[in-house]
Amino acid sequence: MATVNDLRVNPPQERLIGRLPKVGIRPAIDGRRRGVRESLEGQTMAMAQAVAQLLSENLRHANGLPVECVIADTCIGGVAEAAQTAAKFEREGVGVSITVTPCWCYGAETMDMDPLIPKAVWGFNGTERPGAVYLAAVLAAHNQKGLPAFSIYGRDVQDAGDRSIPPDVREKLIQFARAGLAVATMRGKSYLAMGGVSMGIAGSIVDTEFFESYLGMRVEMIDMSEFVRRMEEGIYDKEEYARALAWVKANCREGKDYNSPEEQRSRSQKDRDWETVVKMAIIARDLMVGNPRLAEMGFGEEALGHNAILSGFQGQRQWTDHFPNGDFMEAILNSSFDWNGIRQPYLVATENDSLNGVVMLFGHLLTNTAQVFADVRTYWSPEAVKRVTGYELTGRAAGGIIHLINSGAAALDGTGLQRINGQPAIKPFWEITPEEAAACLDATTWYPARVGYFRGGGFSSGFRTVGGMPVTMARVNLIKGLGPVLQIAEGWTVDLPDEVHHILNERTDPTWPTTWFAPNLTGSGPFKDVYSVMYNWGANHGAFSYGHIGAELITLASMLRIPVAMHNVPEERIFRPSVWGAFGAMDPQGADFRACAAFGPLYG
């Protein structure tokens, strides 16, 4: 059993360089004096304060720190006050802006003109003053100037003195702010490619233009020989390593060796493999975010890291044909806990698949939770399951299931053994209890690597995700002549009887983690049936996040100008900039492609 006492929750901290983005609230007002503006000051500023309170109480950054809001010093009645507010927002590190008003204002004079900051406008639905008229006018100005903005307008009329935020407005404000903060958080950070192209996988052909133009990120690249250098020259914290190795021996259960007897590594070789993979995990983390302990040891350059919010490890085959694989390193870093306790996950993409890593980053920033990297391995039809096992799929699995499985690099949170209201979940690290982290560890077996895949040995995690958990699988693909596109599939994890799972799992690789996934079906297009989802998936990998967050992913993608090629999100949940409708309100998916092409990537 994992030791609960070793799994304390760490306090939130920012481990990357750069200020955390804040939300800027812009109260816009009718600039006419002599009674007009004066009568509106209290109501307008109260709207701004209510939005700031709503977001501050409901949002946290992925590192656990609270989201801060910055309100303009005065209401904005014209260009001078708009400029004063812009200057304040720049000083304060605002990365997202929301304009609020109950009344008519001078549209082009009061609007937010920063082209890189996601922006929304909430026009109060009241009868006393034309907040809706300003909303329409300023959105027209945004659209004409090529500065897409999100429109927020409550469905029901409110009284002028009503200071509450209606539920539909609350939902849109939170959805917009969460996605906007994700955009702002990525900007200026790095993707660290540890190695190069893995086995010809296109996603590991890292496209720097995509990261720079669409995400505002830089790409850092190192050779995997850096791991060898740091291990041989002792460029890691020896005290932490000793503590980590002892923790691993106490908490990571080694499983059956599925290799043939003549191929099995000796006990001494396996012990050395454990030593190596623990060092690899520490070194990869240090490469991503740095480690001040290295400076104390005389390694000032290495202590800085690469300011990487996301990384990928090539592994196969140049590394794994000779050294232990990266499965333990990737799995433990992607998880919300290790020998240092419960903490924010580090995001590492298997096989340096940077495009799958990107959706892991999207999901992490939108939900604050660990992400699960997987092969989209096999579609099991009801007929095939019946033929092979004699079992008839039922419930959510009745239409068939997709086997999500990869070589042991999935976050251990993916076991689904954390709980929200008694239901299986993946939670932000600050909500995870030591008992839940221990349960995830106890449900995971570390199998000696199959030497047919990994000649250098190592260990792969094996677990089965519990059923009944809402999840969203996603993937970014790059298409020549089109650019990046996003795929989204909301669905559920499902349970199979043990004997059925065993039969199906043994047909592939039982040393790897398994998730049985049933996407939600719409009856048409790529979601006509489960087979169609599998058939239309754009690559061999996908990543899933806890919750049905397809709408949030669509909002985020529109901010970055990445069109969505397929999704199963109900129309009423989709929230994009208002100008998208001008590109074809009767054809939302086509409009998305046309709008993204017209405006181009956010960072040019």
Side-chain angles (χ1 to χ4, degrees):
M1 295 289 290
T3 306
V4 173
N5 292 337
D6 293 340
L7 292 166
R8 68 188 186 283
V9 180
N10 283 289
Q13 62 172 327
E14 175 55 15
R15 60 198 183 199
L16 297 168
I17 300 167
R19 290 189 294 181
L20 289 171
K22 301 175 183 177
V23 180
I25 314 295
R26 308 174 72 256
I29 199 166
D30 192 326
R32 288 171 286 199
R33 304 278 181 167
R34 300 184 182 181
V36 177
R37 173 168 178 158
E38 292 83 349
S39 68
L40 295 164
E41 291 275 5
Q43 182 184 7
T44 305
M45 189 58 75
M47 284 182 68
Q49 292 165 344
V51 172
Q53 181 179 356
L54 170 72
L55 300 182
S56 298
E57 291 177 350
N58 287 275
L59 295 178
R60 283 207 209 185
H61 295 286
N63 61 19
L65 292 170
V67 168
E68 295 183 54
C69 294
V70 177
I71 301 176
D73 291 334
T74 67
C75 291
I76 302 168
V79 67
E81 288 160 323
Q84 291 169 3
T85 300
K88 179 179 183 179
F89 283 6
E90 185 176 4
R91 290 192 307 271
E92 294 283 344
V94 165
V96 186
S97 85
I98 300 174
T99 300
V100 301
T101 191
C103 61
W104 167 255
C105 318
Y106 306 152
E109 295 182 27
T110 58
M111 64 187 285
D112 176 3
M113 293 284 286
D114 191 318
L116 301 183
I117 292 182
K119 46 188 64 65
V121 184
W122 174 26
F124 185 79
N125 186 357
T127 54
E128 291 79 8
R129 296 283 181 175
V133 178
Y134 169 73
L135 176 62
V138 79
L139 289 173
H142 277 285
N143 299 346
Q144 189 168 328
K145 295 175 183 294
L147 299 170
F150 289 75
S151 173
I152 300 175
Y153 180 63
R155 177 174 291 274
D156 298 316
V157 171
Q158 292 180 260
D159 297 332
D162 186 353
R163 301 296 172 90
S164 68
I165 303 178
D168 59 330
V169 174
R170 289 169 59 93
E171 181 180 345
K172 283 186 167 60
L173 285 168
I174 291 173
Q175 184 170 329
F176 165 79
R178 185 176 280 127
L181 286 166
V183 170
T185 300
M186 288 185 284
R187 184 180 177 188
K189 306 302 190 301
S190 302
Y191 174 81
L192 176 61
M194 298 181 289
V197 180
S198 175
M199 302 183 297
I201 293 171
S204 60
I205 305 172
V206 182
D207 190 306
T208 57
E209 174 66 21
F210 164 66
F211 277 91
E212 293 169 4
S213 296
Y214 284 89
L215 308 181
M217 293 172 57
R218 69 170 70 219
V219 173
E220 295 278 285
M221 298 185 181
I222 63 164
D223 191 89
M224 290 182 292
S225 62
E226 178 65 4
F227 283 84
V228 179
R229 184 181 80 90
R230 293 196 181 201
M231 284 189 283
E232 291 186 352
E233 297 184 18
I235 309 175
Y236 56 90
D237 184 340
K238 312 298 191 307
E239 293 179 3
E240 182 186 8
Y241 164 66
R243 178 164 45 83
L245 186 61
W247 183 90
V248 167
K249 289 180 178 179
N251 294 283
C252 297
R253 182 179 68 254
E254 189 175 315
K256 172 183 174 181
D257 193 334
Y258 279 84
N259 293 292
S260 63
E262 60 272 15
E263 291 180 316
Q264 291 181 10
R265 296 165 74 80
S266 68
R267 183 66 258 168
S268 62
Q269 286 177 311
K270 290 175 181 176
D271 289 342
R272 288 196 299 271
D273 287 352
W274 275 119
E275 294 171 0
T276 298
V277 299
V278 171
K279 290 176 186 176
M280 288 170 62
I282 293 172
I283 290 169
R285 181 207 61 202
D286 291 351
L287 283 164
M288 288 181 68
V289 302
N291 185 346
R293 179 76 181 97
L294 299 183
E296 298 171 10
M297 298 165 56
F299 300 105
E301 181 182 1
E302 292 85 349
L304 297 175
H306 291 267
N307 201 35
I309 196 172
L310 172 67
S311 70
F313 182 69
Q314 175 193 334
Q316 300 186 69
R317 289 184 43 209
Q318 285 73 12
W319 180 269
T320 57
D321 277 5
H322 183 66
F323 295 103
N325 64 17
D327 288 2
F328 174 82
M329 171 188 74
E330 295 166 6
I332 204 68
L333 290 177
N334 279 323
S335 300
S336 300
F337 40 82
D338 61 16
W339 46 88
N340 290 316
I342 300 171
R343 43 81 180 141
Q344 181 186 6
Y346 299 86
L347 303 178
V348 186
T350 301
E351 293 158 349
N352 198 26
D353 186 347
S354 61
L355 299 180
N356 216 48
V358 165
V359 295
M360 292 171 70
L361 179 57
F362 289 174
H364 178 59
L365 294 177
L366 290 172
T367 67
N368 302 334
T369 62
Q371 305 295 295
V372 178
F373 184 111
D375 282 352
V376 185
R377 180 63 68 96
T378 308
Y379 163 65
W380 278 100
S381 67
E383 295 77 12
V385 172
K386 180 78 169 178
R387 177 181 61 82
V388 171
T389 70
Y391 178 73
E392 186 169 337
L393 294 174
T394 60
R396 291 192 177 105
I401 48 179
I402 295 175
H403 194 180
L404 303 180
I405 181 173
N406 190 259
S407 61
L412 305 193
D413 305 65
T415 56
L417 294 177
Q418 298 158 26
R419 290 289 183 267
I420 295 178
N421 297 325
Q423 299 303 308
I426 301 176
K427 302 197 295 190
F429 78 89
W430 59 87
E431 295 180 3
I432 299 172
T433 67
E435 291 76 15
E436 288 172 328
C440 295
L441 283 162
D442 289 338
T444 304
T445 302
W446 298 91
Y447 296 98
R450 301 287 284 265
V451 296
Y453 280 104
F454 305 117
R455 299 174 187 173
F459 295 91
S460 298
S461 63
F463 62 75
R464 179 174 20 151
T465 304
V466 299
M469 186 164 63
V471 296
T472 302
M473 185 170 72
R475 168 78 193 186
V476 167
N477 298 299
L478 287 179
I479 311 299
K480 185 175 177 62
L482 175 62
V485 294
L486 178 65
Q487 297 178 292
I488 300 168
E490 294 185 339
W492 296 82
T493 64
V494 296
D495 285 320
L496 297 178
D498 290 345
E499 63 276 12
V500 176
H501 164 78
H502 179 75
I503 293 171
L504 300 184
N505 205 44
E506 288 287 334
R507 292 173 66 102
T508 175
D509 197 320
T511 69
W512 298 345
T514 278
T515 302
W516 300 109
F517 174 61
N520 295 339
L521 302 177
T522 65
S524 63
F527 293 93
K528 178 178 65 176
D529 51 31
V530 179
Y531 173 81
S532 297
V533 177
M534 179 80 178
Y535 186 82
N536 283 279
W537 204 251
N540 53 310
H541 291 150
F544 72 78
S545 185
Y546 173 74
H548 289 156
I549 62 164
E552 288 80 0
L553 284 167
I554 289 171
T555 296
L556 172 58
S558 68
M559 292 177 178
L560 300 170
R561 323 286 163 73
I562 298 175
V564 180
M566 62 179 270
H567 71 82
N568 56 350
V569 179
E571 182 178 354
E572 61 271 16
R573 289 174 51 207
I574 295 174
F575 189 33
R576 290 182 170 120
S578 66
V579 71
W580 260 234
F583 288 88
M586 303 302 292
D587 174 23
Q589 185 174 36
D592 183 32
F593 277 82
R594 290 185 287 271
C596 289
F599 290 111
L602 180 59
Y603 303 101

